[in-house]
């Protein structure tokens, strides 16, 4: 489909959408063409840059983000969507063709993001029709509407490829305050899903169940012991804030690595990764990384440090990563288990309930393809967890994406200039 038209691919996280982009880019590259791979996040751009440098050769791949600018004239460019949008404005202004023959927009459901969706939409509108467009997205409710809209504005057919099955099935669990793991939902004789009875009884109690104190974080060290007992590691904990991610490491002090061989391998690999960045060898979280096998990952961390965490997690050397929801947006380090402490997220202005798409992206990290036959999502009871809402999200259909285009002074002036 990609070779003959624009293409929108919607599939669950971890289903292998990137492989399609890799093959399409390989075809363009081997025929002397150039390609642009646009990502919503710097962390995702860094991960893809490393991946593509290995696939196509470091000399053929460049990266353009707010933090990094390397080989901007390479045949294959990885970068953030804002950079691509700005390049389109520059091309229109100077009257010079955008130097690419193929564009991939990863995480295309960001089209519906309140703050940044306008950037995705601008790219789709401004991109010359001669440049084929491949959109990769999590499952969304109105994919056909988006494909039809693209076909109309670009005067070029947009094929829709949809897949709804997860490659690794998801099994949801509830982490009871007693330390017991319970199924989150059960199936009625009529085939409907509902909260598992013991979970429902706990949720209906007058005093809201909580795994930790109402004013602080739960006992992560004890929780890691439980996960280790049931072979549910490695795990990703999704927390509310950057501060929580850092403080969570201090609550894992009992998670000392007992296996000397593993501890040596972890320390050696961390040293290799930090060799090019001497200033990070004094990082205040390095001790937790090397001795406890845990790390914190969020947008406040230095890009190089995030790459270290991502690499160690991908290589199976860490037990757990404590992260904010930014990790959900396509960063490729799946785990056997994800743990959710909140049923809402901060959108930059206020805390809002998770949407079905956001929830499925977070749980999409659960289950390592080729290594796990099943992935687990653990719901942690607490002050900011609405268990019934999570159960509804599990069973809910993917949310539709709505246009977020806004005509503002910046856009108007750029268009007048162009």
């Amino acid at each position: 489909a990609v070779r003959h038209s624009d293409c929108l691919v919607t599939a669950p996280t971890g289903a292998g959408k990137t492989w399609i982009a890799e093959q399409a880019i390989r075809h363009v590259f081997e025929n002397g063409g150039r390609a642009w791979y646009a990502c919503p996040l710097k962390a995702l751009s860094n991960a893809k840059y490393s991946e593509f440098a290995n696939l196509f050769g470091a000399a053929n791949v460049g990266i353009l983000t707010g933090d990094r600018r390397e080989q901007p004239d390479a045949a294959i460019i990885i970068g953030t969507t804002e950079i691509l949008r700005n390049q389109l404005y520059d091309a229109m202004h100077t009257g010079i063709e955008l130097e690419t023959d193929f564009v991939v927009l990863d995480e295309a459901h960001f089209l519906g993001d309140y703050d940044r969706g306008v950037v995705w939409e601008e790219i789709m509108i401004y991109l010359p029709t001669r440049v084929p467009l491949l959109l990769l997205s999590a499952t969304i409710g109105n994919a056909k509407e988006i494909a039809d809209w693209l076909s109309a504005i670009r005067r070029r057919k947009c094929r829709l490829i949809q897949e709804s099955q997860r490659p690794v099935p998801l099994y949801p669990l509830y982490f009871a305050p007693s330390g017991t793991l319970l199924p989150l939902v059960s199936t009625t004789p009529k085939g409907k899903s509902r909260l598992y009875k013991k979970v429902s009884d706990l949720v209906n109690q007058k005093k809201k169940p909580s795994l930790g104190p109402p004013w602080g974080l739960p006992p992560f060290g004890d929780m890691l012991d439980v996960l280790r007992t049931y072979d549910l590691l490695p795990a990703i904990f999704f927390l509310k804030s950057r501060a929580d991610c850092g403080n969570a490491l201090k609550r894992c002090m009992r998670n000392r690595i007992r296996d000397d061989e593993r501890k040596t391998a972890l320390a050696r690999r961390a040293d290799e990764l930090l060799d090019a960045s001497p200033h990070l060898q004094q990082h205040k979280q390095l001790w937790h990384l090397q001795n406890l096998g845990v790390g914190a990952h969020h947008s406040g961390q230095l890009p190089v440090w995030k790459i270290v965490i991502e690499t160690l997690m991908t290589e199976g050397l860490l037990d757990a990563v404590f992260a904010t929801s930014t990790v959900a947006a396509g960063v490729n380090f799946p785990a056997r288990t994800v743990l959710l402490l909140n049923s809402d997220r901060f959108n930059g202005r206020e805390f809002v309930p998770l949407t079905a798409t956001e929830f499925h992206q977070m749980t999409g990290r659960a289950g390592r393809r080729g290594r796990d036959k099943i992935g687990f999502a653990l719901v942690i009871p607490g002050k900011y967890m609405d268990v019934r809402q999570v159960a509804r999200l599990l069973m809910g259909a993917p949310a539709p994406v709505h246009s977020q285009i806004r005509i503002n002074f910046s856009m108007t002036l750029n268009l007048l200039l162009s």
Side-chain angles (χ1 to χ4, degrees), residues 318-336:
L318 299 184
D319 283 339
V321 168
F322 297 93
T324 53
S325 58
T326 50
V327 173
V331 177
N332 186 27
F333 56 87
R336 177 163 293 178

Side-chain angles (χ1 to χ4, degrees), residues 9-20:
V9 179
T10 74
T13 302
K17 295 186 288 291
T18 305
W19 184 87
I20 298 168

Side-chain angles (χ1 to χ4, degrees), residues 36 38 80-88 98 103 105 123:
W36 229 103
T80 50
T81 39
E82 279 81 0
I83 301 281
L84 175 57
R85 189 268 313 271
N86 294 345
Q87 285 196 353
L88 282 164
L98 183 73
V103 166
L105 286 184
I123 290 170

Side-chain angles (χ1 to χ4, degrees), residues 348-382:
R349 296 172 308 282
E350 59 185 342
F351 284 97
V352 293
L354 288 172
T355 65
T357 301
E358 289 162 349
F359 175 78
H360 288 301
Q361 271 207 298
M362 293 165 85
T363 56
R365 305 280 137 232
R368 297 163 300 175
R369 190 172 186 172
R371 293 168 74 180
D372 295 322
K373 288 189 169 64
I374 190 168
F376 297 89
L378 258 76
V379 173
I380 312 300

Side-chain angles (χ1 to χ4, degrees), residues 106-129:
D106 201 357
E107 309 293 335
H109 47 273
F110 263 75
L111 185 64
D113 183 84
Y114 180 83
D115 291 310
R116 298 177 65 206
V118 59
V119 179
W120 271 255
E121 194 160 341
E122 283 186 277
I123 290 170
M124 294 173 194
I125 293 168
Y126 304 155
L127 190 70
T129 306

Side-chain angles (χ1 to χ4, degrees), residues 50-88:
S50 301
E51 248 177 78
F52 280 36
N54 290 332
L55 278 171
F56 300 106
N60 300 312
V61 184
I63 183 168
L64 296 173
T65 69
D67 294 330
R68 297 176 76 180
R69 180 184 171 85
E70 295 176 26
Q71 302 191 149
D73 298 320
I76 300 166
I77 295 294
I78 315 291
T80 50
T81 39
E82 279 81 0
I83 301 281
L84 175 57
R85 189 268 313 271
N86 294 345
Q87 285 196 353
L88 282 164

Side-chain angles (χ1 to χ4, degrees), residues 169-208:
L170 182 72
Y171 194 82
L173 297 169
Y174 179 82
F175 209 130
S178 62
T180 309
L181 300 184
L182 301 168
L184 181 66
V185 293
S186 59
T187 308
T188 66
K190 291 184 178 179
K192 289 188 176 180
S193 290
R194 64 181 178 196
L195 276 184
Y196 186 65
K197 187 175 185 315
K198 286 184 180 176
V199 175
S200 183
D201 291 344
L202 282 166
V203 172
N204 289 333
Q205 286 177 4
K206 199 168 188 180
K207 186 181 177 187
K208 197 172 182 181

